[in-house]
Amino acid sequence: MKRERVLIIGAGPAGLTAAIYTARAQLSTTVVVGRLLGGQISTTHEVENFPAFPNGTTGPELVENMRAQAERFGAKFLYESVTEVDFTKGSPFYVKTDNDEFMADTVIVTIGANPRTLNIPGEKEHIGRGVSYCATCDGFFFRGKDISVIGGGDSALQEALFLTKFGKEVTIIHRRDQFRASVALQFRVKDHPKIKLQMDTVVDEVMGADGIVKGMKLRNVKTGETWEKPTDGFFVFIGYDPNSVLFGEQLKLRGDGYVVIDEMHQTSVEGVFAAGEIHDSLFRQAITASGDGCKAALSAINWIGERESQLQPLDAPVELQPA
Ligand code: NAP
């Protein structure tokens, strides 16, 4: 069992920024990275709107810079996932990872959100065989092929633009006649010679042959007309759901699963803070997640500062409280 002053669960912009702040404040900090350093942003090819990069940057570069900056101040990184937490007995909090156990004086939860699936026949069966939720990861496999992108928000349009680097043609299929995405992105897709728009249309089934995506069944929601269209790549960008299942009923959640926080970024448990997409369903930007991570870290630093005299030394043996 290890002791920590600050345990950060998740390593997207929120978690990495929090780590820069808590480690620089001389608080012993471990970041439990989870499956993917950087979270969603690391699968985003072009990042054009993160301040201080006049020519843009890439998600992986942004994340690696943040990680290196946190490490420079002494933050430790554990490339495992959290499997269990116990916030019920107050600080210090028990956190179990794949191969380790921690008692942490404070926890900052930054495990973000996961891509939504369409839940239609043929989708799950063809994940990694034509169906994808990550253009940066899988776009390369569809060089010179027909690509379909499902969704009408910023993610769908931005990733469709990225996929034009690979595909012969990219068709955006959206269930309404209006996009939700920003006007700037709408202009870019409408003017793009490789992008076709299929509005008022939903996909009823992903069709495959020999285990590989070959096409889909489409339906116009206004006329009811149905037809089949060949496609090789089927990319779904229809929003995200928060990764809050791990906390069960230990943290107060909104009806849609997002973690509830106060103005100090503290959750319903004193000493447990949250930042980024685990609580934010609205802004969902790398820069807002970073800002959140900073605020949660400052609150954790303050929380520890107010209790400094009561905290156990980090090398003291851990005494587990009775269950
Ligand atoms: P989103 O804004 O929630 O858009 C989801 C899209 O998927 C909507 O067009 C929605 O259609 C459609 N959709 C949802 N469920 C569907 C279903 N079952 N079948 C078919 N279509 C479905 O999600 P997002 O695009 O991932 O963006 C999330 C947030 O991140 C937003 O706040 C966005 O601004 C932000 N973001 C920003 C950037 C950027 O600034 N560069 C990039 C990516 C994301 P309806 O429109 O009909 O509801």
Side-chain angles (χ1 to χ4, degrees):
M1 179 89 68
K2 293 177 180 161
R3 264 189 188 280
E4 267 305 10
R5 288 288 179 250
V6 183
L7 193 89
I8 298 173
I9 308 178
L16 293 171
T17 305
I20 292 168
Y21 274 77
T22 57
R24 190 164 178 272
Q26 305 292 296
L27 296 179
S28 179
T29 298
T30 291
V31 182
V32 184
V33 171
R35 276 183 295 131
L36 185 64
L37 179 78
Q40 283 178 54
I41 190 80
S42 62
T43 64
T44 303
H45 184 72
E46 261 184 286
V47 180
E48 290 183 323
N49 50 10
F50 200 94
F53 294 92
N55 301 316
T57 181
T58 66
E61 187 185 16
L62 189 66
V63 162
E64 179 47 30
N65 285 346
M66 288 186 188
R67 190 206 59 74
Q69 195 172 353
E71 198 171 62
R72 181 159 76 88
F73 297 120
K76 292 160 283 216
F77 289 85
L78 182 65
Y79 291 83
E80 294 185 15
S81 295
V82 169
T83 55
E84 193 185 326
V85 298
D86 187 355
F87 297 155
T88 59
K89 300 181 190 80
S91 175
F93 303 103
Y94 174 77
V95 177
K96 186 173 181 343
T97 66
D98 295 322
N99 298 305
D100 239 324
E101 288 179 297
F102 290 85
M103 293 303 285
D105 296 315
T106 58
V107 173
I108 303 178
V109 174
T110 70
I111 46 176
N114 266 337
R116 274 191 205 134
T117 58
L118 285 164
N119 294 323
I120 53 171
E123 181 186 18
K124 206 167 143 200
E125 300 87 306
H126 293 103
I127 291 175
R129 302 177 139 257
V131 172
S132 172
Y133 306 87
C134 174
T136 311
C137 317
D138 299 326
F140 187 76
F141 299 121
F142 300 96
R143 294 183 312 283
K145 303 257 173 87
D146 278 326
I147 296 176
S148 302
V149 168
I150 319 304
D154 283 331
S155 300
L157 270 57
Q158 195 165 53
E159 299 309 313
L161 284 162
F162 172 64
L163 287 165
T164 59
K165 290 179 196 299
F166 307 103
K168 184 171 66 186
E169 184 175 292
V170 177
T171 305
I172 301 176
I173 299 165
H174 181 39
R175 64 183 177 182
R176 289 190 297 136
D177 59 2
Q178 299 278 318
F179 284 124
R180 183 181 291 272
S182 70
V183 174
L185 278 171
Q186 292 191 38
F187 274 123
R188 285 178 67 195
V189 300
K190 282 175 182 159
D191 285 347
H192 201 290
K194 276 194 183 178
I195 293 184
K196 302 267 177 301
L197 306 181
Q198 186 75 63
M199 308 301 276
D200 293 321
T201 300
V202 293
V203 186
D204 284 333
E205 185 178 337
V206 179
M207 300 182 306
D210 301 326
I212 305 283
V213 168
K214 288 289 173 220
M216 59 201 157
K217 288 186 180 162
L218 297 173
R219 176 166 46 89
N220 183 302
V221 291
K222 286 191 174 153
T223 64
E225 181 197 356
T226 59
W227 70 103
E228 293 182 4
K229 183 182 186 311
T231 194
D232 303 298
F234 186 86
F235 286 81
V236 182
F237 300 107
I238 59 166
Y240 297 85
D241 289 319
N243 283 320
S244 52
V245 177
L246 176 69
F247 309 115
E249 291 178 359
Q250 298 187 51
L251 296 181
K252 189 170 173 201
L253 305 180
R254 289 177 0 199
D256 54 6
Y258 286 87
V259 170
V260 174
I261 56 166
D262 65 15
E263 67 276 14
M264 302 305 285
H265 278 258
Q266 184 162 256
T267 67
S268 54
V269 176
E270 256 197 58
V272 177
F273 301 86
E277 285 193 29
I278 190 72
H279 83 86
D280 170 26
S281 57
L282 195 57
F283 297 107
R284 314 186 72 147
Q285 304 295 299
I287 186 68
T288 54
S290 274
D292 274 359
C294 166
K295 288 191 266 178
L298 292 175
S299 293
I301 294 165
N302 194 36
W303 197 90
I304 288 176
E306 285 172 355
R307 291 159 182 80
E308 204 138 30
S309 59
Q310 303 151 35
L311 300 178
Q312 291 283 323
L314 288 174
D315 53 5
V318 174
E319 283 169 35
L320 285 179
Q321 295 175 30

